Amino acid sequence: MPSIDFAQYVVERLKQCGIRYVFGVPGDYNLELLDYVEKDKDLTWVGNANELNAAYASDGYARVKGGPAALITTFGVGELSALCGVAGSLAERLPILHIVGAPSRTLQGSHALVHHTINVPNSFATFSAMSRPISCSQALLSEIEPLTPTTWTDAFDKVFKDVLEQCRPGYVQIPTDAVHYKVSDEGLKKKLPLPSSAPPVDATATALPPDSHMETNAWRMSIERKPAPLQDVSDYVVGEIVQRFQKADRPIVLIDACAGRFGMAGEVGKLVENCKIRYFDMGKAMLDEQSPLYGGCYAGGNSLPAVREEVEKADFVLYVGALRSDSNSGAFSIKIDPKVIVELHSFTTLVGYASYPTTDLRHILPRLTPALSNVALSKSTHGKSFRGQYKVEPPGKLKGEQIKHEWFWQRMGRWFKDNDVIITETGTSAFGLINVPLPSHSTYVAQVLWGSIGWAVGATLGCALAATEEKHHRRTILFEGDGSLQLTLQEIGTMMRRGLKPYIFVLNNDGYEIERQIHGWAAEYNNIQPYDHQLLLPFFAGKKAKTPLESIAVHTPAELEALLNNKDFAQDDKIRLIEVYMPRGDAPVELINQGKLTAEASRR
């Protein structure tokens, strides 16, 4: 039986799943593993400033690539630094494979007091136990005796398969003495699934959220019974959905983040275009926002009035890939009649009040488009297109001497190009673009649920690297607050080291504006030490960086207008930091509304 080093098996699996860049920080327990990554001509070791940023970068890479990302850290101090970022990937359903280099099996077995341990009993198991609740699957090779040449490769493949099917992080701990251990390469002949591949029934059941309302006694009893054939269940569910659609006069499709995570946004696009159904989203740019069928972004009470009226009066709502949080639902102010909703999830299908947990959106959507096509011919669309509702200020109409959110975001919307990758930080940026129509093939990246400030800088590194792998040239554009920037700005240096040239718009409004809007309007804790942002790029460039750079400061609408009209500025031929001065206390109306809705929800 042919054999290879275990570390080489890992490298080959990463490449088979389309990974080209590997994120992380070197440490003495992972160095020999990194030798295999570095010597491979198809993989690039990115090398991050710290493990938290590496986790954020892998998150961004997975979002734009639409596939898995790999994160490698060292035991203890390294892996713990990454956990906030990994937890965010769990919350927002990103397939991140977290590989941890650990002390040898001999050292672990003898309970040696080695560096990076915490000097308590069972110290070697402590850190993997911390990762367990935020991992869909784990393999600790130090606890698995390699009885056959495939024992360890099967364990690794099991975790990676779970990561891909569930779009959640997984954890593999590799002791130093396992790196060169000879294993069978037979597993490499078996392809691992893509996130868009419909999993078997048992995998769908396994993927149920641990605390889900689905996990009732009745659910457990249904698993104990012999399940009905998946084909029969799927056909039945599709029939139920078609019957409801036939009776509807005002049908709509509502698409959310998990449709994109599981590779189904394109399938939803086919459905709405073939059937001419109005669609709305609870995120951004998952489908074409320039289409006349697109009605806008629905966020409960934080929606545009026309959007809210049409969605909440619909008599059939196909809700695909729900990731409902307080941020994208107007603090849970959604008012859609549950009886008219069909929800397609990654682990179940809900039709009204009935649930079908052996099906998921990957089983149902490909069947649903042809089934609805004939029925849809008799349906007519309602309401204006989102572009028709959107009011654009004339280019020459500049208000005052201060750059305010009301004008800023709509002006940026006119500057965006097709294929742009647009990243917004948690805070004013994430809310500013909600009601701005984006170009047809743009990608919008935001952390709606986890909301970790500083995430967007690290994520931009991953997004920009993923964009380099695509056939069409894509600009990468980051909007970052001056407060959030201070948490992770070191990764700008990594961008320059890797020759990336994103636009970094730093919104300088003198501190944590989103926090002020929530509470503490004049509180000292919402203030920050002001940085001289014009010095950042030269500082990170040092004396050896070859990436061209440009730092710009704009104080007035006229200055920003002139910059955005500059044809040279539109070419992303250098890394640019654009410092946008905005008045303290100003915020997008969507953020102000969200604050009010959140306060109301807290009083209920």
Side-chain angles (χ1 to χ4, degrees), residues 121-135:
N122 206 28
S123 179
F124 288 104
T126 300
F127 309 126
S128 59
M130 292 180 181
S131 280
R132 190 170 298 121
I134 59 173
S135 305

Side-chain angles (χ1 to χ4, degrees), residues 63-238:
R63 288 173 190 257
V64 171
K65 194 171 178 67
L71 168 67
I72 301 181
T73 63
T74 197
F75 176 78
V77 293
E79 60 182 304
L80 295 190
S81 294
L83 287 195
C84 175
V86 175
S89 296
L90 174 76
E92 307 228 349
R93 303 300 293 267
L94 278 309
I96 311 298
L97 182 64
H98 186 189
I99 299 172
V100 177
S104 69
R105 289 176 292 162
T106 300
L107 287 173
Q108 293 194 45
S110 64
H111 304 286
L113 189 61
V114 297
H115 60 287
H116 300 341
T117 56
I118 54 176
N119 195 18
V120 297
N122 206 28
S123 179
F124 288 104
T126 300
F127 309 126
S128 59
M130 292 180 181
S131 280
R132 190 170 298 121
I134 59 173
S135 305
C136 69
S137 187
Q138 282 193 338
L140 314 180
L141 299 193
S142 60
E143 298 180 2
I144 303 172
E145 189 65 29
L147 299 176
T148 73
T150 64
T151 301
W152 279 353
T153 59
D154 288 345
F156 177 84
D157 284 351
K158 168 65 168 61
V159 174
F160 208 175
K161 180 174 178 287
D162 290 343
V163 167
L164 292 164
E165 286 185 342
Q166 298 183 35
C167 288
R168 290 187 173 110
Y171 178 102
V172 178
Q173 188 187 92
I174 303 177
T176 54
D177 59 321
V179 171
H180 305 291
Y181 194 90
K182 295 297 182 182
V183 297
S184 169
D185 64 357
E186 282 297 304
L188 298 176
K189 299 176 183 178
K190 303 174 185 177
K191 289 185 177 181
L192 292 173
L194 297 172
S196 58
S197 303
V201 174
D202 57 347
T204 308
T206 303
L208 274 168
D211 299 321
S212 170
H213 65 282
M214 302 301 302
E215 200 169 61
T216 61
N217 288 333
W219 162 240
R220 283 192 283 268
M221 289 173 61
S222 71
I223 288 296
E224 291 168 5
R225 294 200 317 248
K226 182 179 179 180
L230 178 59
Q231 179 70 40
D232 292 353
V233 177
S234 297
D235 290 344
Y236 178 80
V237 171
V238 169

Side-chain angles (χ1 to χ4, degrees), residues 520-543:
W521 187 260
E524 174 63 25
Y525 52 70
N526 285 329
N527 297 335
I528 60 172
Q529 169 61 33
Y531 286 2
D532 188 339
H533 296 108
Q534 297 304 300
L535 298 179
L536 289 181
L537 292 186
F539 171 76
F540 285 117
K543 297 180 180 180

Side-chain angles (χ1 to χ4, degrees), residues 521-572:
W521 187 260
E524 174 63 25
Y525 52 70
N526 285 329
N527 297 335
I528 60 172
Q529 169 61 33
Y531 286 2
D532 188 339
H533 296 108
Q534 297 304 300
L535 298 179
L536 289 181
L537 292 186
F539 171 76
F540 285 117
K543 297 180 180 180
K544 294 183 178 180
K546 298 179 181 179
T547 304
L549 59 89
E550 182 178 19
S551 297
I552 304 165
V554 290
H555 297 80
T556 68
E559 290 177 359
L560 181 60
E561 182 74 24
L563 180 66
L564 298 181
N565 288 333
N566 186 311
K567 293 181 179 179
D568 292 335
F569 180 76
Q571 303 301 315
D572 57 338

